[in-house]
Amino acid sequence: MTNTQWQPVVDANEGAFVIELPAGWQHDARLVRVGPAARRAVRAASPDGSVRLSLHDPDMPDFFEPSSGFFPTPGVHQLAPFTDATNFLPQYLQQRFGTLPGFAAGGAQAEQALVEETMRKAAAQGVQLRVTAASAPFRFTDQGAQVEALAVCTTNSFGPGWVADVCAVYAVGGGQPDRDLLLHAMSSERTNQQWQGVQNANFANQQAANAQQNALWMNASQAMHNQRMGDIAAAGAANTAIHNQRVAMGEASTAAYLNQLNQPFQGVPSGVGSGDGPGLDQQHSLINSIREEETVRTASGEDVQVEAGADRYFIDEHNRQWVGAQGNVDANDFRAAGLDPDDYQEGQIRR
């Protein structure tokens, strides 16, 4: 890298970043949009094509930890546990260059200085990262020319997700790849803060729009839920009212029917039956039988329902209390039971 003159090169697409590349070289530095992801790609070649630089791989997916709960977007994200750069880089080289003629790769070596520089840059932006870095030499044949190369890889974890980055320098036609050239270009790359501010504002606006949309959706959902609950409550209240009305009608009908059954039969037609008191109709007698009751007519002509099983019944017409007895009963029996015999008069069992 002796006597190399450097020139700043700005991202050709959005002006998102600037990087120093050797003056007079052919170069292409641009931001590439892959779905929602923004990725950088830098390519440069010396005038004679003997030295080439390749920084970043826009086809590299972003990674999410399998336990993160995130759903990957095909072609943009991939589920994979965080991998140290010393393990990631050999796998990447094999996958990226393994089919080329004469491919071979050396062992990966940790790059502690690059780890510290990456963490220092992240801390300056208020970001804490888990960083690993490694480098590895490799070779292959391109159109009959031997290519000696050096790749530098970093893997940076920010919790649920992580990213990997690979940069390389190639010496076409043999020779030693220029490590210092590659590291200078890598360390010179800077984000355009004005561009970053616009991106942050756009992100904040999108988040605010998403929050507003979510709030509108939640409000609409809550209103629909409340309407459904109100409709259900109204329908329930209407059904309850109908049920209560039906129950009341049924109870009233039953009460009327039972009251009708309990009404004494008003006399016996002339020339039918015998005895001096009116009898009960057949339904009333059946009800008394089911209930194990008797109907007793008092001296004043009022009917009282009593428990069946006695031969004689005495009624206190003041409170409709009654006493049943078997056989002969006199005043002393009432007094013995704590009752005043003058309050009770014998009623007539109606059959």
Side-chain angles (χ1 to χ4, degrees):
M1 198 179 66
T2 305
N3 298 325
T4 300
Q5 299 295 317
W6 299 92
Q7 68 177 31
V9 176
V10 179
D11 156 32
N13 280 349
E14 300 184 22
F17 64 95
V18 61
I19 185 172
E20 290 185 0
L21 296 175
W25 282 31
Q26 296 178 348
H27 59 259
D28 182 14
R30 64 185 62 246
L31 191 73
V32 180
R33 296 284 181 176
V34 182
R39 296 170 181 164
R40 298 178 181 181
V42 178
R43 305 291 181 263
S46 63
D48 61 2
S50 62
V51 182
R52 298 176 183 173
L53 286 174
S54 175
L55 279 68
H56 317 303
D57 183 349
D59 295 327
M60 184 87 73
D62 296 334
F63 298 95
F64 286 122
E65 295 284 352
S67 60
S68 65
F70 286 89
F71 295 95
T73 302
V76 179
H77 308 113
Q78 182 176 320
L79 291 178
F82 179 75
T83 305
D84 189 281
T86 55
N87 295 321
F88 185 91
L89 181 56
Q91 298 175 18
Y92 173 84
L93 293 177
Q94 181 63 44
Q95 184 179 14
R96 182 71 174 78
F97 300 97
T99 60
L100 296 179
F103 169 77
Q109 301 293 324
E111 293 281 351
Q112 185 59 35
L114 183 56
V115 169
E116 294 173 358
E117 180 183 359
T118 303
M119 294 182 65
R120 184 169 58 252
K121 288 182 177 180
Q125 298 178 3
V127 179
Q128 292 185 345
L129 296 175
R130 176 186 176 187
V131 180
T132 69
S135 63
F138 65 103
R139 64 169 58 92
F140 59 90
T141 300
D142 181 23
Q143 299 180 356
Q146 181 68 28
V147 179
E148 298 289 337
L150 175 72
V152 175
C153 172
T154 59
T155 56
N156 306 324
S157 172
F158 47 89
W162 59 284
V163 295
D165 189 30
V166 177
C167 301
V169 58
Y170 306 90
V172 182
Q176 188 71 17
D178 195 334
R179 171 188 171 91
D180 291 339
L181 185 78
L182 174 62
L183 293 180
H184 179 93
M186 290 173 58
S187 64
S188 71
E189 190 172 336
R190 298 287 186 274
T191 298
N192 182 336
Q193 293 304 312
Q194 183 177 2
W195 176 88
Q196 187 63 61
V198 172
Q199 300 306 303
N200 293 342
N202 290 342
F203 179 78
N205 291 338
Q206 185 60 51
Q207 291 296 94
N210 291 343
Q212 183 179 20
Q213 187 66 30
N214 288 339
L216 292 174
W217 182 83
M218 287 295 296
N219 291 340
S221 297
Q222 187 63 46
M224 292 176 63
H225 172 75
N226 293 340
Q227 180 64 43
R228 285 196 297 269
M229 291 299 99
D231 292 344
I232 291 171
N239 288 336
T240 299
I242 293 173
H243 171 75
N244 292 340
Q245 184 179 13
R246 288 173 178 170
V247 169
M249 291 175 63
E251 291 177 347
S253 178
T254 301
Y257 177 71
L258 293 177
N259 182 62
Q260 183 179 5
L261 291 182
N262 288 327
Q263 292 299 316
F265 185 75
Q266 299 299 321
V268 179
S270 176
V272 179
S274 63
D276 57 359
L280 295 177
D281 60 38
Q282 187 175 4
Q283 280 188 319
H284 200 150
S285 296
L286 178 60
I287 294 299
N288 276 352
S289 175
I290 293 172
R291 292 179 173 178
E292 296 184 352
E293 293 180 353
E294 296 281 10
T295 301
V296 176
R297 174 69 57 87
T298 66
S300 62
E302 183 179 359
D303 287 341
V304 178
Q305 292 297 116
V306 300
E307 183 178 344
D311 293 334
R312 303 170 65 188
Y313 293 93
F314 298 86
I315 312 298
D316 182 347
E317 293 195 58
H318 296 96
N319 54 24
R320 298 175 65 86
Q321 290 185 355
W322 57 271
V323 177
Q326 300 286 354
N328 295 327
V329 178
D330 59 24
N332 291 328
D333 293 323
F334 281 91
R335 294 189 184 95
L339 303 174
D340 186 349
D342 293 335
D343 293 337
Y344 290 83
Q345 293 182 338
E346 186 172 1
Q348 179 184 3
I349 301 174
R350 303 182 61 213
R351 301 299 186 186

